[in-house]
């Protein structure tokens, strides 16, 4: 069950945020949604890095990803591998505070993908979102756990969710925003402005949750018929650090708020290429 909104900020503070993720969906046996939906927000623009994480192709050879993805040697978009330009990685900062966001440039040729639209307005509570990422797949049926994470026969137990397994698969799902303007601390002086969604057992059709093992995937919002890149997956919120490798109902997804960092991202996007076309 979704926590009351008033309790959510406290729940997020008391829980544990761990690096994230791609999406697990609650629908059916969880194996679906591996091709673009009919209302495609930009499925092919989300790809896998050479270190098995994710990134989003924005245009003009730039990839936006989570900062903790590091500096991968390449990204693969729509089945095509692109090497990254050495030394091109830029950490996104706002007012001198580094965020868990980075942009990395690709070598030529220019990917045959459309440019992504950056958000025109801030994210609002209750807005529906489409999430895409390249992470773990889930078991076909639910698992139940006690408070100490011992497995029990469902429907007994305190936690319900899905255990995870290989392979990593690009997949999309749905959710809704429940918290905005949340500052998520990171290592050192890092702090990232985020918005949050919750994995609900009785949520959206294709209800989605990010899972450990991948970061840098995308959250899109449909604004009057135009899909905008609202967020980048950077962390998942779990009840405690002992949660197994699983997507558990009431887990949280933390997305870096692209609107908050829009001017910094756009400034890099506008830079002319310094490599041959």
């Amino acid at each position: 069950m979704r926590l009351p909104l008033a309790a959510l900020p406290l729940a997020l503070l008391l829980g544990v945020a761990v690096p994230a993720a791609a999406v697990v969906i609650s629908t059916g046996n969880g194996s679906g949604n591996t091709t673009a939906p009919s209302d495609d927000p930009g499925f092919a623009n989300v790809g896998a890095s050479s270190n098995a994480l994710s990134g989003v192709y924005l245009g003009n050879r730039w990839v936006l990803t989570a900062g903790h993805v590091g500096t991968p040697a390449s990204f693969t978009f729509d089945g095509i591998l692109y090497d990254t330009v050495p030394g091109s990685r830029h950490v996104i900062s706002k007012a001198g505070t580094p965020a868990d966001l980075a942009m990395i440039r690709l070598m030529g040729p220019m990917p045959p993908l459309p440019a992504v639209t950056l958000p025109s307005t801030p994210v609002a509570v209750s807005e529906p979102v489409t999430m895409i990422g390249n992470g773990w797949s889930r078991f076909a049926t639910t698992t139940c756990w006690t408070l100490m994470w011992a497995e029990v026969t469902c429907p007994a137990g305190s936690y319900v969710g899905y255990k995870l397994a290989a392979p990593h698969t690009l997949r999309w799902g749905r959710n809704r925003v429940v918290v905005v303007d949340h500052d998520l601390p990171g290592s050192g002086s890092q702090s990232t402005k985020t918005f949050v969604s919750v994995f609900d057992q009785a949520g959206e059709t294709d209800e989605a949750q990010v899972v450990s093992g991948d970061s840098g995937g995308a959250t899109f919002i449909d604004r009057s018929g135009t899909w905008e890149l609202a967020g980048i997956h950077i962390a998942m919120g779990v009840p405690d650090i002992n949660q197994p490798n699983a997507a558990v109902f009431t887990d949280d997804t933390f997305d870096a708020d692209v609107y908050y960092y829009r001017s910094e991202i756009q400034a890099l996007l506008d830079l002319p290429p310094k490599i041959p076309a």
Side-chain angles (χ1 to χ4, degrees):
M1 174 179 285
R2 179 168 291 173
L3 292 171
L5 250 175
L8 246 163
L10 179 61
L12 296 176
L13 291 172
L14 293 177
V16 179
V18 296
V23 300
V24 159
I25 57 171
S26 62
T27 309
N29 66 4
S31 64
N33 296 11
T34 58
T35 58
S38 58
D39 55 341
D40 184 10
F43 191 79
N45 285 67
V46 183
S49 64
S50 55
N51 56 352
L53 303 175
S54 292
V56 183
Y57 180 69
L58 300 183
N60 200 20
R61 293 197 179 93
W62 283 108
V63 176
L64 179 62
T65 187
H68 63 267
V69 166
T71 310
S74 64
F75 285 90
T76 298
F77 294 100
D78 204 21
I80 301 174
L81 186 145
Y82 301 89
D83 291 331
T84 57
V85 177
S88 66
R89 182 177 181 270
H90 289 260
V91 174
I92 303 298
S93 297
K94 185 90 169 181
T97 301
D100 190 5
L101 277 175
M103 288 174 66
I104 304 170
R105 204 146 211 187
L106 303 177
M107 299 284 284
M110 189 82 76
L113 295 169
V116 165
T117 301
L118 298 182
S120 55
T121 57
V123 176
V125 170
S126 295
E127 275 199 284
V129 299
T130 296
M131 302 158 63
I132 304 172
N134 180 55
W136 291 97
S137 299
R138 70 162 174 88
F139 280 40
T141 58
T142 56
T143 298
C144 294
W145 296 269
T146 67
L147 281 173
M148 301 303 293
W149 298 106
E151 290 185 28
V152 293
T153 301
C154 293
S158 299
Y159 301 115
V160 182
Y162 302 99
K163 292 192 288 187
L164 306 177
H168 283 217
T169 304
L170 191 66
R171 179 176 284 111
W172 62 268
R174 316 278 193 192
N175 213 308
R176 284 184 182 267
V177 176
V178 295
V179 171
V180 297
D181 200 33
H182 179 79
D183 292 312
L184 185 68
S187 60
S189 60
Q190 184 187 87
S191 179
T192 307
K193 188 71 70 177
T194 64
F195 59 88
V196 187
S197 59
V198 177
F199 193 40
D200 291 323
Q201 195 163 5
E204 306 292 313
T205 301
D206 300 311
E207 178 82 359
Q209 168 64 31
V210 301
V211 294
S212 60
D214 201 357
S215 294
T219 290
F220 291 93
I221 292 180
D222 185 353
R223 298 271 176 65
S224 301
T226 298
W227 285 101
E228 299 179 350
L229 178 64
I232 296 292
H233 308 326
I234 63 168
M236 63 183 294
V238 298
D240 66 73
I241 201 66
N242 295 312
Q243 178 174 312
N245 189 24
V248 175
F249 292 113
T250 73
D251 280 353
D252 309 303
T253 293
F254 292 84
D255 274 289
D257 187 343
V258 174
Y259 179 82
Y260 183 77
Y261 300 100
R262 176 183 170 126
S263 60
E264 290 76 17
I265 293 169
Q266 189 65 57
L268 288 172
L269 269 174
D270 291 341
L271 290 176
K274 295 183 179 179
I275 55 176

